[in-house]
Structures are given as structure tokens and as C-alpha cells.
Amino acid sequence: MKFRAKIVDAACLNHFTRVSSMVAKLAKACTLRISPRRLNFILADKVANGGVSMWCELEQENFFNEFQMEGVSAENNAIYLELTSENLSRALKTAQNARTLKIKLTNKHFPCLTVSIELLSVSNSSRIVTHDIPVKVIPRKLWKDLQEPTVPDCDVSIYLPVLKTMKSVVERMKNISNHLIIEANRNGDLNLKIESELVCVTTHFKDLGNPPFASEDASQDRNPAHMVEVHVDIRKFLQFLSGQQVNPTKAICTTHLPRHPCPLAVPDEGSLPGSSKAGFLLATEITRNGPLSDSCQADAQPPVSTAEEEEGPECT
Amino acid sequence: MKCLVTGGNVKVLGKAVHSLSRIGDELYLEPLEDGLSLRTVNSSRSAYACFLFAPLFFQLYQAATPGQDPLRCKILMKSFLSVFRSLVMLEKTVEKCCISLNGRSSLLVVQLHCKYGVRKTHNLSFQDCESLQAVFDPASCPHMLRAPAKVLGEAILPFPLALAEVTLGIGHGHRVILRSYQEEEADSTVKAMVTEMSIGEEDFQQLQAQEGVAITFCLKEFRGLLSFAESANLSLSIHFDAPGRPAIFTITDSLLDAHFVLATLSEPSPNSQDLRSPELCRQAPQLQAHSTPHLDDFANDDIDSYMIAMETTVGSEGSRTLPSISLSPGLQPPCNSGPHSEEEDEAEPSTVPGTPPPKKFRSLFFGSILAPAHSPQGPSPVLAEDSEGEG
């Protein structure tokens, strides 16, 4: 197994750093999947316990000047590593003024991802920072749990408003209730609602637009103005919103009923060529007196949906 | 004793107190002919810090009123720090700071003359004490390096704030290497990230050390001095010797001197396989000091109303000695000049009974300077009894 890669461009480095910070905010441990064309950050099987699970994909040629990898074997040309996400995030943050950043898989008493940063210095001297991040190689038999989630049918798919706005709204709502009700329809309306004994607060977002493909799957006879509603744990949702450091050009939320609905967002950095995408899966809950429009079964497996992302504008 | 600090020097004094507060809980204040010295030592005696402000630093400096012996006093660091707590406030509003020590009253008076006619007076109780002095000599250290504080500040930037210890060494190509030091725990499944910073020789104003030498010391304590040096924009020198011998960090300026002496991790004997061998101890001359109640007692008391008995020690009989830990000098093997990536100080020094638990460092060499003229005439009434306890 071999892996070595190099980043030279400051904007790419910045973006990569922000993606890793986002991952670090969501979970302590994450899986890094290295394949010939892609790099993936995977947070899996968190949904069963509530929380956020995530699949993030980066096209390696958009970030790295050099990228060489050799997987476990020729047929299974991938490397799956488990590491503490904060370590990678912290290592990358020291590369603020870096001339080059190199990452490679090494073995220094134990398997490590070595991040080697050459810093720009005022004088001509070079300064080199090296971080050895301990990793655990995930055996092939566990790979099947870490695959890209499939796109199931969804009921509603909607573009989210600016995440920062949503975050400030939800931030204030968390003091009133533990559950957030997200309602969306195919007319581009989104509501964020909380209910308590004394008060019910709703924030309405209109004219958000719906991604075109979503409407094909769902039943045609559904009234576009019909609101589909899901309940999520407000803190987990906030955790997901707080982790967003990459400004998405489009973030999409899809909900599914009758089984456990799950919202999902797909951030993308608009200023980089090509696309990177990330999908998030949030567990939702069925409240005892939740007025869900369709019958909900207490099913264990929440379906997931991802959404393709369009190309952002070219990097100047 | 009376001294007056004005203008920007008030903030410098405040910053020095902040640096000292990172080390110890008690501040030893002593007006000398050379200037005002502020010293402290940490509870495990593995770090000592001293700031000496020359008379020129002050607008007015009077070490002792004529006819009176100069006083030495020991104050709670927390109390003294509270006067200089907000550096921003010091810079913006304080015009003058007057520190006076009156032998007759038992108070150290710190008066801040602020803008708009505001005057803040702090009356701090103190205790007479012996002079705290560590025996060290930078000139006797074979290795040294000197760099602007900014370079060293940038050098420790990649290391997390929580990191306790760091290893400083010289690697290939005469590069200065700083590496995070993690205590190895055999049963820990999660390994820690190792960070290493390598700086070229050209960033240093002076570098006098061979490849392969390295020492490991407490980063948190070093940060205290470094932040002072950065704010004053001065150069910092590090004098060091073999692992296990204390490392001396100094800042020199026309107006002030600062010395931080930190213990370094000693290497295990190459022969001993068992890292917990009890032979790994070090000889430490004791700090014959004070008759103070145990340090912990301070924490429980209300500082403002704390009245410490005016005790003075009587030579060595009444003094509390450190738990003596003896190290046979032969157990300090010479540094191997291996490649820089090899870490010499891997092993954990054994815990010797009596060693203060939080730190695995050994005590520094402390001497006691007991000026004969100051030994008290007779035992003064003891209002607060010594409590038993470790040093």
C-alpha cells in the first residue's frame, strides 16, 4: 500500500483544510478512503445513534499536483484508513502559509499519515513542519459498510437557503425546543418550526427552488404545495450546520416518508473548478404526537439520498 | 523599599508578572542594589524563574531606606497578579505604578495612578522569607542557541496549547528541531499525533551545539517566558547541557534580565532495561527555605484577608527540606549523535517515592543563600503552624 500526494496551490490547500475542519467538527473519528481518482471522508453508521453521518468526495486532481497511490491489491485498488479527524484538521491548519504540502502513508513504528509542510519564511530559510498522524488500516472485509450511499426515492428535494442564515435561526430555536420540524414542498417553500407548550415559532423561506431531478421520482399526483415534514434533533442539526465551513453553491435537502426521513445537504466550493461533493445524513425522529402526513413506521434503516452537484465557476 | 514605574514600563512589569504566574504560586520580591528581583519556583521545584529590573527601569528606585536592611518578601502570586491582571487596562489607563514595602507594617503597597485622577491602592500581605536562588551558570553549559523571540514563537506555533513537553535538538544539516514529546503509555490504544518543526540554522543569531544533542523540557513553562520576549521584542537564549541537566533560558536587555531555569528529562541508563528501576534518581541539594505553611493551604484561604504570620526561618533546623532524590552522576549517558528523527528521550523516568506526582522531572539544584545578618534574634510567635507535606 502506498500513497503520496502533494498540494502546491494555496487555494486548494485552503479548501482542503476547510473540508477537514468540517469533518473534525462532526465526529471524532473518520474514515479516509483513497482511490486513484478520489479522496473520500466517510463518517458511517452514526445514524443509528442519532447524529450525523457523512460521505464526502473530493476529486483528487482538483486539489493535488501529484497524487500516487497503490491500493491493497490490483482488484481492490483503494486504501481505507481510520484516523482522528481533529489530528488531520490541526495538521492542515498549520499550513496557513505553506509553499508545499505533502501527504504520504508511512510506517514509523505504526502506520501514519505523514503531513509534511514547507513553510514560506520571511528570510530565505525554509521551515519544515512534519505531523505524523497515527492511522489504522481498515481491513477489506469492512469496506462494504463504507460505500457511497445509494440514492433512494425521495419525496421532496429543495435547495437550502444560505446555511449561515439557517444556522443563526436554528441557534436561537434550540433554547426553546429539542426538536426541529423541517417542512418543505416542491414549490420552493421551506419552514423551520419549533413547538413547545407555550409557543410555536416558524421561520419561512420562500422561492428557494427545487432541483429538477427530484420531481421525477416522486408520485406525480402529489400537490406541489403539499408540505412534507420531518423532525430532527435540533442539536444534531446545529452540529451539522456549524460544521459547514465550505460555502456551498447549492445545498439540497431531501426528505423521505413514510420511513425515517432524512435531510441531506450537498456543499460545494463555488470557486474551485470541478466539483467536490459531500452528503450528510441526519437521523430524524418520530415524535409521539407528530403530525406527520404519512404513516411512519419505526424503521431502523433510514434511507439516504445524495445529489449531484453542478460545476462551480472556474478558478481564476 | 520604594520604586516607581512609569509609562510603557508598567505594561512590561505586568507582562513579567504574567510570565512568572505561569510557573509558580508564590512571588519572591527582593530589592537589590542591582535592581528589583521577582522570582518564583514551581511546586515540584522543576522550574525557576527570575526577572531582574535594573534601577534604570524605574523612574525612582530605592532599594532600602537608609539605615534599614533591605527587605525580602514573599507574596501570593495570585494577589500580585490581580493587580496586573488586565494588560490592556494597564496600557490604556495606568500612568504610574508605585511599589513600596514598609518593614514596620506588614504590607506591600502597590499603587496604580490611573487617568482621570483615579488611584488604585492594593495592600498585599507578605511574609518575610529567605532569598530564593537557584544555583545555575549559563556559561557552564556547552550548548547554546539564540534567536529572536519571533522566530521561536513561530517555531512553537504548530504545537497544540495542551502539549506539555517538547524536545529541542539539533538535527541533520545543523537544523534546529522541535518535536512534541509524548509520554508513552503502554496500555493506550490511541496513539498521539507527533509534530515536528525544523528550522534552519540561518534563523538563529547564534548556534553553538553539535548535531544530535537534544533536551526535553516543559513547553507550557517555556511559553510563559516566550510570550514576554515576544511582547518586548527581545532575543531569547537557550543554554543547555546533557539531558537531565537544567536548561537555562535567558533574555537580556539594558533594563532587565530574565532567567528561566527548567528541568529537562533525563535519559534512562542504556544498561537498565527496566524503566521503573529505582536507581534512576538524582541528587538535589535542598531548598532550605521557608517556614511557610504548605502551599495548598493558601488555596483554601481567602487571599485578601489572609494574614500570614511574620515568620522567618532559623537556619536549617526549622526549615522544610525537599524530599531528597539522589542520582548517581554516572547515569547520564552522553547524547548519541543519531539522526534527528530518532528520539533519544523515549523512556519515562521512573517515579521515585516522594517525587511530586504531576511532574516526572527531577528537582533542580537549589542553593540557599542565608545572609547571616538577617537571621532573626529569636523565634517569633508562631501564629500559623507549619503543616507537614511534600515540597
Side-chain angles (χ1 to χ4, degrees), chain B residues 4 15-17 35 70 100 113 127 143 152 159-160 178 230 275 310 314 321 335 347 372:
Chain B
L4 194 64
K15 269 237 87 162
V17 180
S100 54
H113 298 246
Q127 183 173 12
H143 317 298
L152 293 170
F159 298 97
L178 278 163
E230 280 182 293
L275 298 175
M310 298 293 285
V314 187
T321 59
C335 300

Side-chain angles (χ1 to χ4, degrees), chain B residues 363-385:
Chain B
S363 298
L364 300 181
F365 282 38
F366 275 108
S368 157
I369 313 256
L370 187 62
H374 294 282
S375 17
Q377 307 308 318
S380 32
V382 177
L383 299 175
E385 284 204 276

Side-chain angles (χ1 to χ4, degrees), chain A residues 40-267:
Chain A
N40 293 89
F41 287 96
I42 307 167
L43 299 173
D45 70 34
K46 301 281 185 282
V47 183
N49 308 328
V52 186
S53 85
M54 183 198 73
W55 168 272
C56 176
E57 187 167 285
L58 308 171
E59 300 278 329
Q60 61 91 346
E61 58 190 23
N62 295 332
F63 292 87
F64 300 93
N65 283 63
E66 288 170 25
F67 191 91
Q68 298 158 27
M69 61 93 41
E70 230 176 73
V72 171
S73 64
E75 312 84 60
N76 298 297
N77 196 17
I79 304 172
Y80 285 71
L81 302 170
E82 191 182 305
L83 50 86
T84 305
S85 28
E86 206 220 323
N87 281 345
L88 182 61
S89 161
R90 199 150 42 84
L92 292 173
K93 279 187 183 149
T94 64
Q96 293 267 345
N97 301 316
R99 210 177 266 152
T100 61
L101 180 131
K102 292 187 199 151
I103 309 181
K104 51 188 183 199
L105 191 60
T106 57
N107 195 332
K108 301 186 177 179
H109 307 295
F110 44 84
C112 284
L113 207 58
T114 297
V115 178
S116 176
I117 302 162
E118 194 185 319
L119 293 171
L120 294 167
S121 172
V122 178
S123 59
N124 276 336
S125 70
S126 71
R127 292 196 201 154
I128 302 170
V129 184
T130 314
H131 299 273
D132 292 320
I133 304 168
V135 297
K136 207 166 72 169
V137 179
I138 299 179
R140 204 149 40 88
K141 57 179 187 251
L142 297 175
W143 289 11
K144 59 182 189 326
D145 299 328
L146 300 164
Q147 296 311 306
E148 179 167 4
T150 51
V151 185
D153 295 339
C154 66
D155 291 292
V156 172
S157 196
I158 189 168
Y159 290 130
L160 290 176
V162 177
L163 293 183
K164 217 167 144 191
T165 312
M166 275 182 80
K167 183 184 162 198
S168 55
V169 166
V170 177
E171 182 90 42
R172 276 138 191 82
M173 286 177 162
K174 80 165 191 285
N175 299 323
I176 303 176
S177 165
N178 284 335
H179 299 280
L180 176 72
I181 304 166
I182 303 176
E183 289 177 344
N185 65 16
R186 280 192 245 121
N187 270 353
D189 298 324
L190 176 77
N191 295 342
L192 298 175
K193 190 155 72 171
I194 44 165
E195 288 172 349
S196 78
E197 288 168 355
L198 299 173
V199 70
C200 171
V201 183
T202 312
T203 303
H204 302 267
F205 296 92
K206 290 192 173 345
D207 297 327
L208 291 171
N210 302 85
F213 66 91
S215 47
E216 294 166 16
D217 300 350
S219 47
Q220 298 297 324
D221 54 358
R222 175 131 345 141
N223 176 9
H226 171 81
M227 284 284 189
V228 165
E229 178 184 297
V230 299
H231 293 229
V232 291
D233 182 317
I234 208 171
R235 274 182 206 88
K236 300 287 189 320
F237 190 61
L238 205 54
Q239 186 187 18
F240 150 70
L241 287 174
S242 309
Q244 295 311 304
Q245 305 212 319
V246 187
N247 294 322
T249 49
K250 292 178 179 71
I252 300 171
C253 171
T254 64
T255 61
H256 311 266
L257 286 177
R259 296 201 289 168
H260 280 226
C262 25
L264 195 90
V266 181

